[in-house]
Amino acid sequence: MNIAVNLTPAELALGGMMLPHARMEDWRWTNLRTLIDRPYPPGGKIAVAAKEIARLRDTSPLARMPAARLVFVNGAFSQGESRFPASGEVGIRPGLPRLSASDEPVASLNANFATDGLTLTIRSGANIDTPIELLFLATDADPRTIATRVAVDIGAGASATLIETFAGEGSYLANSAVSIALGEGARLDRVTLERQAPGAIHLADRDVTLQGRAVLRDFTLTAGAKLNRQNARYTLAGEHADARIAGAYLLGGRQHADTRLVVRHAKPHCTSREIFKCVMDDHARGIFQGKVIVDPGAQKTDGKQSSHALLLSETAEFDAKPELEIFADDVVCGHGATSGDLDHNHLFYLRSRGIPEREAKAMLVAAFVEEAFETIGNDHIRAALGEIATGWLASRGGAS
Amino acid sequence: MILNGLSLTVNAGEVHAIMGPNGSGKSTLSYVLSGREGYVVTQGSVTYRGQDLLAMEPDVRAAKGVFLAFQYPIEIPGVATMQFLKVALNAQRKARGEKELSTPDFMRLVKARAAKLGVSQDMLKRAVNVGFSGGEKKRAEILQMAVLEPSLCILDETDSGLDIDALRIVADGVNALRSPDRAMIVITHYQRLLDYIVPDVVHVLSQGRIVKSGGKNLAHELEERGYAQFEKDAA
């Protein structure tokens, strides 16, 4: 690292930690040194009225869904606000879990500044039907860094649905690290809903490991925050593990979202799919960087990734960087990326049947992202998130 | 210039056939009437029920009763057929100040109309026109027409790509919609369709204008003698 660099105000507020910049390959489109233009000092405790928390919680489209809810308010785990899982097969241990050493910048920030967290364990063989939601709320207060850390351990043969919801108001930098271990034959349906405040910054680091025959269905909706960077590493560490990783962006204004996925096939006969559907309007910028690594000996790997962008304005932008690193010789791997605007023939067809332009565009946006939403196994969650997609254009005054 | 000096009056209850060779402007006429982008009307006017049709957006025209059955119906992946039809019907009803249809009422309506046109439940479950054969697409267009109950139906080469059985089903569907307060413009290249949908008036379109109008027998005359004679007249 270049010690001659003048630290930015944001870096000084973070105790002199240097933020990632455009000369780092993974960060070429997301230069945090320039994009984070004010200090976000690591936060102390903030007192919040219960009424305020309830109000914020109820803005979630999943608020009325039956779920166990583990609530973090401004980076502190709030047991009082939480509804613990009824099942005795789910264990919850408050406190910061250990983070595996990493020089990844988002993980490093978390290692330095995480204030609270929990460890969630699901006993081997347990089938947990009721979804478990981790709800991270930020209230309107001075700009600050809010960092949390969660570890999830799903025992062999167990199954569960885990939701991570991020919401808030005001100006803050949220840093969230989550590590997930799926045991042999475990199944996890994971849904992330990022609808942070419009003035917020969202930095996430995910580390997911699948043992043999484990099945992961992973969906992330990126809709909030002015600046979003989501890193995730998936390791298929046992034979016949199967990961389907999907995401959708709904970005307008000057929103910036960058997802960086690394899927590592460490053992033979594993399957991975990445499918990202990104919608950008106004001056929004979306980035998708997906890397698939096939280790030596990981034969019969089946790995595919695709990213598709829908650009609703001339000034919106999308960048895709697919990468394959293959060290085995009997594999099927592929990637694809497309970008385009709304199909005018589709639009005319809908309008010729009496559907007003705004509504027709909204239908086509929802249709575009649908394939990614199909990854969500739970009908309630898919419907609730689908409504966000359908209502998105109207909620922000529509595309030009 | 694709349409030039075209003059046409269609009264409620009438079925007009417009015949013409390729490139005569048949499809352009249908797109201009339905409001597709990319067509500029430099001169002339279109009056629909006393109102300036050209000033209306496509969805406004639809709500006022204009329906185009496309020559090549558009496939829209990700948009479910039933949802599309329901949104369309209720958007039109809303625009007209009518009460929106409830889901059960809507389902009953569509199922009854679909059965008559041989549109299967399976087709209704798919995305709009996706994976439909040519004949299925045409039947789906007529189903939309039957559900939306327009007052001006424009059928653009609805017979193209249909075998004789499919043609009969589609024609029966169209004929069932004939009524004293509904007008139809049937655009076709061949006389065959007009054996099933018998028009009140037949027009010959050539080089952007109507060069001859007559009764239903004009279609047979065209079939025997071809369009060449009229192209000479138009030149």
Side-chain angles (χ1 to χ4, degrees):
Chain A
M1 223 171 255
N2 185 352
I3 51 160
V5 174
N6 288 324
L7 293 176
T8 66
E11 289 168 334
L12 289 169
L14 294 171
M17 268 194 80
M18 198 161 138
L19 290 166
H21 51 80
R23 275 171 293 133
M24 298 162 73
E25 181 57 26
D26 293 354
W27 293 85
R28 55 189 285 198
W29 287 290
T30 303
N31 186 347
L32 292 189
R33 297 203 79 215
T34 55
L35 288 168
I36 302 183
D37 56 0
R38 69 196 293 177
Y40 292 90
K45 280 207 177 345
I46 295 170
V48 187
K51 207 171 70 182
E52 184 68 2
I53 297 167
R55 184 183 61 77
L56 207 49
R57 188 186 55 210
D58 291 344
T59 61
S60 168
L62 300 172
R64 269 168 294 158
M65 190 184 66
R69 212 159 261 126
L70 305 167
V71 183
F72 285 77
V73 181
N74 295 321
F77 179 41
S78 170
Q79 301 200 32
E81 295 295 336
S82 295
R83 186 162 69 220
F84 285 81
S87 167
E89 294 173 305
V90 182
I92 301 205
R93 194 170 65 244
L96 274 180
R98 237 203 313 260
L99 192 68
S100 52
S102 166
D103 56 2
E104 206 295 317
V106 177
S108 301
L109 279 172
N110 191 277
N112 280 279
F113 302 114
T115 48
D116 207 353
L118 61 80
T119 301
L120 176 70
T121 50
I122 294 174
R123 197 178 292 168
S124 295
N127 294 310
I128 311 301
D129 288 332
T130 308
I132 301 169
E133 183 182 26
L134 293 161
L135 178 59
F136 299 91
L137 300 174
T139 59
D140 194 1
D142 291 335
R144 65 216 182 274
T145 290
I146 300 168
T148 54
R149 191 186 305 159
V150 170
V152 179
D153 187 5
I154 303 182
S159 66
T161 297
L162 180 68
I163 309 162
E164 291 156 44
T165 304
F166 297 88
E169 288 175 347
S171 174
Y172 54 92
L173 186 158
N175 177 303
S176 160
V178 176
S179 63
I180 299 175
L182 277 82
E184 192 84 20
R187 182 185 167 105
L188 176 65
D189 281 277
R190 176 170 176 254
V191 176
T192 304
L193 175 55
E194 190 274 282
R195 44 191 296 280
Q196 298 277 29
I201 295 169
H202 181 79
L203 305 178
D205 187 79
R206 302 287 177 263
D207 199 286
V208 184
T209 305
L210 289 79
Q211 297 303 328
R213 297 191 188 278
V215 176
L216 173 70
R217 294 293 175 262
D218 190 318
F219 173 83
T220 300
L221 177 61
T222 302
K226 62 179 179 184
L227 171 59
N228 175 310
R229 165 73 178 210
Q230 293 168 115
N231 294 323
R233 294 169 301 281
Y234 298 85
T235 306
L236 307 174
E239 293 193 13
H240 298 284
D242 171 3
R244 188 178 175 89
I245 304 149
Y249 291 0
L250 297 172
L251 306 176
R254 294 192 173 273
Q255 280 181 283
H256 177 119
D258 181 353
T259 296
R260 160 87 177 150
L261 303 184
V262 178
V263 176
R264 186 172 151 218
H265 285 256
K267 286 282 179 321
H269 298 290
C270 292
T271 304
S272 69
R273 290 286 178 277
E274 292 163 58
I275 167 93
F276 274 69
K277 295 283 194 132
C278 306
V279 185
M280 275 75 53
D281 198 359
D282 308 324
H283 290 82
R285 186 168 191 191
I287 297 131
F288 176 78
Q289 310 184 66
K291 184 181 205 168
V292 175
I293 303 170
V294 181
D295 281 359
Q299 304 294 9
K300 305 292 179 190
T301 286
D302 177 0
K304 288 190 186 67
Q305 59 163 297
S306 67
S307 63
H308 304 283
L310 177 61
L311 299 164
L312 296 176
S313 83
E314 297 278 322
T315 46
E317 184 176 330
F318 182 68
D319 302 282
K321 191 174 87 167
E323 286 177 282
L324 295 172
E325 277 183 14
I326 302 175
F327 302 101
D329 57 10
D330 185 12
V331 304
V332 179
C333 285
H335 60 74
T338 63
S339 79
D341 56 6
L342 279 180
D343 187 318
H344 286 255
N345 290 322
H346 291 174
L347 197 57
F348 175 63
Y349 192 77
L350 295 179
R351 295 187 70 196
S352 78
R353 297 305 184 242
I355 303 173
E357 186 173 15
R358 270 274 202 77
E359 210 170 337
K361 281 186 173 173
M363 282 175 87
L364 293 175
V365 166
F368 175 78
V369 296
E370 185 189 85
E371 190 185 359
F373 279 71
E374 283 168 8
T375 305
I376 306 171
N378 181 300
D379 294 341
H380 279 100
I381 303 173
R382 193 177 341 97
L385 268 57
E387 275 176 34
I388 297 179
T390 312
W392 177 70
L393 265 188
S395 72
R396 29 186 306 282
S400 55
Chain B
M1 193 85 79
I2 300 171
L3 295 177
N4 188 7
L6 182 140
S7 178
L8 173 67
T9 303
V10 181
N11 297 309
E14 293 178 353
V15 174
H16 288 234
I18 294 187
M19 300 184 70
N22 289 329
S24 60
K26 299 191 301 292
S27 285
T28 299
L29 175 63
S30 73
Y31 288 145
V32 167
L33 292 177
S34 56
R36 190 174 195 141
E37 268 183 302
Y39 296 89
V40 183
V41 179
T42 52
Q43 273 181 42
S45 63
V46 180
T47 307
Y48 172 69
R49 293 179 146 181
Q51 290 180 296
D52 179 4
L53 188 72
L54 299 179
M56 299 174 200
E57 293 290 318
D59 47 286
V60 176
R61 298 182 197 200
K64 290 194 182 286
V66 177
F67 181 93
L68 169 63
F70 283 61
Q71 183 182 359
Y72 302 109
I74 312 285
E75 298 186 10
I76 312 183
V79 175
T81 299
M82 287 299 267
Q83 186 218 357
F84 155 68
L85 261 179
K86 182 163 180 263
V87 170
L89 179 62
N90 279 335
Q92 289 199 18
R93 293 179 70 100
K94 200 172 150 192
R96 292 193 293 260
E98 297 164 14
K99 199 166 165 281
E100 294 182 29
L101 227 53
S102 70
T103 301
D105 286 348
F106 169 77
M107 300 287 275
R108 265 193 293 279
L109 173 72
V110 174
K111 278 182 182 162
R113 305 276 151 96
K116 281 187 188 156
L117 285 160
V119 173
S120 65
Q121 292 301 304
D122 174 58
M123 276 171 71
L124 294 174
K125 280 181 191 149
R126 282 184 256 164
V128 177
N129 291 322
V130 174
F132 290 16
S133 69
E136 285 175 333
K137 282 180 183 167
K138 296 299 174 78
R139 272 186 278 155
E141 291 289 287
I142 304 307
L143 170 64
Q144 291 178 30
M145 197 165 101
V147 169
L148 297 172
E149 301 182 316
S151 48
L152 173 61
C153 307
I154 305 159
L155 284 77
D156 188 5
E157 309 236 6
T158 295
D159 50 333
S160 68
L162 292 186
D163 62 30
I164 201 74
D165 293 327
L167 182 63
R168 198 168 283 142
I169 295 169
V170 165
D172 286 348
V174 173
N175 285 328
L177 290 168
R178 290 180 81 149
S179 91
D181 45 37
R182 180 171 291 138
M184 292 188 185
I185 297 174
V186 180
I187 294 171
T188 182
H189 193 91
Y190 301 106
Q191 165 264 335
R192 187 179 71 154
L193 177 66
L194 305 179
D195 286 343
Y196 297 94
I197 303 170
V198 180
D200 299 300
V201 189
V202 175
H203 306 278
V204 180
L205 189 65
S206 181
Q207 296 181 24
R209 62 193 183 93
I210 287 170
V211 292
K212 190 172 169 89
S213 301
K216 64 185 178 203
N217 290 330
L218 180 56
H220 290 279
E221 197 183 312
L222 276 169
E223 190 75 2
E224 279 164 29
R225 298 174 52 198
Y227 289 112
Q229 49 169 334
F230 299 107
E231 289 189 314
K232 254 179 275 151
D233 291 353

mmCIF file with all atom_site columns, all heavy atoms in Angstrom, chain B residues 27-38:
data_model
loop_
_atom_site.group_PDB
_atom_site.id
_atom_site.type_symbol
_atom_site.label_atom_id
_atom_site.label_alt_id
_atom_site.label_comp_id
_atom_site.label_asym_id
_atom_site.label_entity_id
_atom_site.label_seq_id
_atom_site.pdbx_PDB_ins_code
_atom_site.Cartn_x
_atom_site.Cartn_y
_atom_site.Cartn_z
_atom_site.occupancy
_atom_site.B_iso_or_equiv
_atom_site.pdbx_formal_charge
_atom_site.auth_seq_id
_atom_site.auth_comp_id
_atom_site.auth_asym_id
_atom_site.auth_atom_id
_atom_site.pdbx_PDB_model_num
ATOM 1  N N   . SER B 1 27 ? -50.730 -3.209 -43.873 1.00 0.00 ? 27 SER B N   1
ATOM 2  C CA  . SER B 1 27 ? -50.297 -3.243 -42.476 1.00 0.00 ? 27 SER B CA  1
ATOM 3  C C   . SER B 1 27 ? -50.045 -1.845 -41.942 1.00 0.00 ? 27 SER B C   1
ATOM 4  O O   . SER B 1 27 ? -50.314 -1.545 -40.784 1.00 0.00 ? 27 SER B O   1
ATOM 5  C CB  . SER B 1 27 ? -49.043 -4.106 -42.324 1.00 0.00 ? 27 SER B CB  1
ATOM 6  O OG  . SER B 1 27 ? -49.413 -5.470 -42.413 1.00 0.00 ? 27 SER B OG  1
ATOM 7  N N   . THR B 1 28 ? -49.533 -0.970 -42.798 1.00 0.00 ? 28 THR B N   1
ATOM 8  C CA  . THR B 1 28 ? -49.310 0.419  -42.384 1.00 0.00 ? 28 THR B CA  1
ATOM 9  C C   . THR B 1 28 ? -50.625 1.042  -41.930 1.00 0.00 ? 28 THR B C   1
ATOM 10 O O   . THR B 1 28 ? -50.683 1.730  -40.906 1.00 0.00 ? 28 THR B O   1
ATOM 11 C CB  . THR B 1 28 ? -48.700 1.224  -43.546 1.00 0.00 ? 28 THR B CB  1
ATOM 12 O OG1 . THR B 1 28 ? -47.456 0.640  -43.895 1.00 0.00 ? 28 THR B OG1 1
ATOM 13 C CG2 . THR B 1 28 ? -48.495 2.683  -43.160 1.00 0.00 ? 28 THR B CG2 1
ATOM 14 N N   . LEU B 1 29 ? -51.687 0.772  -42.691 1.00 0.00 ? 29 LEU B N   1
ATOM 15 C CA  . LEU B 1 29 ? -52.998 1.294  -42.312 1.00 0.00 ? 29 LEU B CA  1
ATOM 16 C C   . LEU B 1 29 ? -53.380 0.809  -40.912 1.00 0.00 ? 29 LEU B C   1
ATOM 17 O O   . LEU B 1 29 ? -53.826 1.587  -40.066 1.00 0.00 ? 29 LEU B O   1
ATOM 18 C CB  . LEU B 1 29 ? -54.048 0.851  -43.350 1.00 0.00 ? 29 LEU B CB  1
ATOM 19 C CG  . LEU B 1 29 ? -55.495 1.224  -43.031 1.00 0.00 ? 29 LEU B CG  1
ATOM 20 C CD1 . LEU B 1 29 ? -55.663 2.743  -42.995 1.00 0.00 ? 29 LEU B CD1 1
ATOM 21 C CD2 . LEU B 1 29 ? -56.459 0.607  -44.058 1.00 0.00 ? 29 LEU B CD2 1
ATOM 22 N N   . SER B 1 30 ? -53.139 -0.472 -40.653 1.00 0.00 ? 30 SER B N   1
ATOM 23 C CA  . SER B 1 30 ? -53.520 -1.016 -39.337 1.00 0.00 ? 30 SER B CA  1
ATOM 24 C C   . SER B 1 30 ? -52.682 -0.383 -38.228 1.00 0.00 ? 30 SER B C   1
ATOM 25 O O   . SER B 1 30 ? -53.191 -0.099 -37.141 1.00 0.00 ? 30 SER B O   1
ATOM 26 C CB  . SER B 1 30 ? -53.388 -2.546 -39.328 1.00 0.00 ? 30 SER B CB  1
ATOM 27 O OG  . SER B 1 30 ? -52.026 -2.924 -39.294 1.00 0.00 ? 30 SER B OG  1
ATOM 28 N N   . TYR B 1 31 ? -51.399 -0.124 -38.493 1.00 0.00 ? 31 TYR B N   1
ATOM 29 C CA  . TYR B 1 31 ? -50.546 0.467  -37.461 1.00 0.00 ? 31 TYR B CA  1
ATOM 30 C C   . TYR B 1 31 ? -50.882 1.943  -37.233 1.00 0.00 ? 31 TYR B C   1
ATOM 31 O O   . TYR B 1 31 ? -50.850 2.422  -36.103 1.00 0.00 ? 31 TYR B O   1
ATOM 32 C CB  . TYR B 1 31 ? -49.073 0.315  -37.840 1.00 0.00 ? 31 TYR B CB  1
ATOM 33 C CG  . TYR B 1 31 ? -48.585 -1.111 -37.728 1.00 0.00 ? 31 TYR B CG  1
ATOM 34 C CD1 . TYR B 1 31 ? -47.643 -1.629 -38.607 1.00 0.00 ? 31 TYR B CD1 1
ATOM 35 C CD2 . TYR B 1 31 ? -49.086 -1.961 -36.725 1.00 0.00 ? 31 TYR B CD2 1
ATOM 36 C CE1 . TYR B 1 31 ? -47.198 -2.940 -38.505 1.00 0.00 ? 31 TYR B CE1 1
ATOM 37 C CE2 . TYR B 1 31 ? -48.650 -3.272 -36.627 1.00 0.00 ? 31 TYR B CE2 1
ATOM 38 C CZ  . TYR B 1 31 ? -47.709 -3.755 -37.516 1.00 0.00 ? 31 TYR B CZ  1
ATOM 39 O OH  . TYR B 1 31 ? -47.274 -5.051 -37.408 1.00 0.00 ? 31 TYR B OH  1
ATOM 40 N N   . VAL B 1 32 ? -51.193 2.643  -38.297 1.00 0.00 ? 32 VAL B N   1
ATOM 41 C CA  . VAL B 1 32 ? -51.565 4.052  -38.139 1.00 0.00 ? 32 VAL B CA  1
ATOM 42 C C   . VAL B 1 32 ? -52.843 4.150  -37.305 1.00 0.00 ? 32 VAL B C   1
ATOM 43 O O   . VAL B 1 32 ? -52.958 4.991  -36.415 1.00 0.00 ? 32 VAL B O   1
ATOM 44 C CB  . VAL B 1 32 ? -51.747 4.724  -39.521 1.00 0.00 ? 32 VAL B CB  1
ATOM 45 C CG1 . VAL B 1 32 ? -52.447 6.083  -39.379 1.00 0.00 ? 32 VAL B CG1 1
ATOM 46 C CG2 . VAL B 1 32 ? -50.391 4.912  -40.197 1.00 0.00 ? 32 VAL B CG2 1
ATOM 47 N N   . LEU B 1 33 ? -53.786 3.260  -37.582 1.00 0.00 ? 33 LEU B N   1
ATOM 48 C CA  . LEU B 1 33 ? -55.051 3.304  -36.835 1.00 0.00 ? 33 LEU B CA  1
ATOM 49 C C   . LEU B 1 33 ? -54.859 2.929  -35.359 1.00 0.00 ? 33 LEU B C   1
ATOM 50 O O   . LEU B 1 33 ? -55.545 3.438  -34.493 1.00 0.00 ? 33 LEU B O   1
ATOM 51 C CB  . LEU B 1 33 ? -56.085 2.366  -37.479 1.00 0.00 ? 33 LEU B CB  1
ATOM 52 C CG  . LEU B 1 33 ? -56.594 2.795  -38.865 1.00 0.00 ? 33 LEU B CG  1
ATOM 53 C CD1 . LEU B 1 33 ? -57.554 1.753  -39.433 1.00 0.00 ? 33 LEU B CD1 1
ATOM 54 C CD2 . LEU B 1 33 ? -57.269 4.170  -38.802 1.00 0.00 ? 33 LEU B CD2 1
ATOM 55 N N   . SER B 1 34 ? -53.903 2.035  -35.083 1.00 0.00 ? 34 SER B N   1
ATOM 56 C CA  . SER B 1 34 ? -53.732 1.606  -33.692 1.00 0.00 ? 34 SER B CA  1
ATOM 57 C C   . SER B 1 34 ? -52.674 2.429  -32.949 1.00 0.00 ? 34 SER B C   1
ATOM 58 O O   . SER B 1 34 ? -52.539 2.315  -31.741 1.00 0.00 ? 34 SER B O   1
ATOM 59 C CB  . SER B 1 34 ? -53.390 0.116  -33.632 1.00 0.00 ? 34 SER B CB  1
ATOM 60 O OG  . SER B 1 34 ? -52.252 -0.150 -34.415 1.00 0.00 ? 34 SER B OG  1
ATOM 61 N N   . GLY B 1 35 ? -51.926 3.255  -33.685 1.00 0.00 ? 35 GLY B N   1
ATOM 62 C CA  . GLY B 1 35 ? -51.037 4.201  -33.009 1.00 0.00 ? 35 GLY B CA  1
ATOM 63 C C   . GLY B 1 35 ? -49.623 3.721  -32.768 1.00 0.00 ? 35 GLY B C   1
ATOM 64 O O   . GLY B 1 35 ? -48.969 4.133  -31.810 1.00 0.00 ? 35 GLY B O   1
ATOM 65 N N   . ARG B 1 36 ? -49.128 2.873  -33.655 1.00 0.00 ? 36 ARG B N   1
ATOM 66 C CA  . ARG B 1 36 ? -47.767 2.396  -33.457 1.00 0.00 ? 36 ARG B CA  1
ATOM 67 C C   . ARG B 1 36 ? -46.758 3.517  -33.726 1.00 0.00 ? 36 ARG B C   1
ATOM 68 O O   . ARG B 1 36 ? -46.950 4.331  -34.620 1.00 0.00 ? 36 ARG B O   1
ATOM 69 C CB  . ARG B 1 36 ? -47.491 1.236  -34.421 1.00 0.00 ? 36 ARG B CB  1
ATOM 70 C CG  . ARG B 1 36 ? -46.193 0.520  -34.117 1.00 0.00 ? 36 ARG B CG  1
ATOM 71 C CD  . ARG B 1 36 ? -46.015 -0.708 -34.994 1.00 0.00 ? 36 ARG B CD  1
ATOM 72 N NE  . ARG B 1 36 ? -44.971 -1.544 -34.430 1.00 0.00 ? 36 ARG B NE  1
ATOM 73 C CZ  . ARG B 1 36 ? -45.007 -2.857 -34.389 1.00 0.00 ? 36 ARG B CZ  1
ATOM 74 N NH1 . ARG B 1 36 ? -46.043 -3.503 -34.865 1.00 0.00 ? 36 ARG B NH1 1
ATOM 75 N NH2 . ARG B 1 36 ? -44.019 -3.537 -33.873 1.00 0.00 ? 36 ARG B NH2 1
ATOM 76 N N   . GLU B 1 37 ? -45.678 3.500  -32.934 1.00 0.00 ? 37 GLU B N   1
ATOM 77 C CA  . GLU B 1 37 ? -44.593 4.469  -33.112 1.00 0.00 ? 37 GLU B CA  1
ATOM 78 C C   . GLU B 1 37 ? -43.966 4.297  -34.492 1.00 0.00 ? 37 GLU B C   1
ATOM 79 O O   . GLU B 1 37 ? -43.944 3.198  -35.028 1.00 0.00 ? 37 GLU B O   1
ATOM 80 C CB  . GLU B 1 37 ? -43.481 4.162  -32.104 1.00 0.00 ? 37 GLU B CB  1
ATOM 81 C CG  . GLU B 1 37 ? -43.579 4.904  -30.802 1.00 0.00 ? 37 GLU B CG  1
ATOM 82 C CD  . GLU B 1 37 ? -42.378 4.544  -29.938 1.00 0.00 ? 37 GLU B CD  1
ATOM 83 O OE1 . GLU B 1 37 ? -42.191 3.345  -29.654 1.00 0.00 ? 37 GLU B OE1 1
ATOM 84 O OE2 . GLU B 1 37 ? -41.639 5.451  -29.577 1.00 0.00 ? 37 GLU B OE2 1
ATOM 85 N N   . GLY B 1 38 ? -43.393 5.351  -35.000 1.00 0.00 ? 38 GLY B N   1
ATOM 86 C CA  . GLY B 1 38 ? -42.616 5.245  -36.228 1.00 0.00 ? 38 GLY B CA  1
ATOM 87 C C   . GLY B 1 38 ? -43.396 5.573  -37.486 1.00 0.00 ? 38 GLY B C   1
ATOM 88 O O   . GLY B 1 38 ? -42.864 5.495  -38.583 1.00 0.00 ? 38 GLY B O   1
#
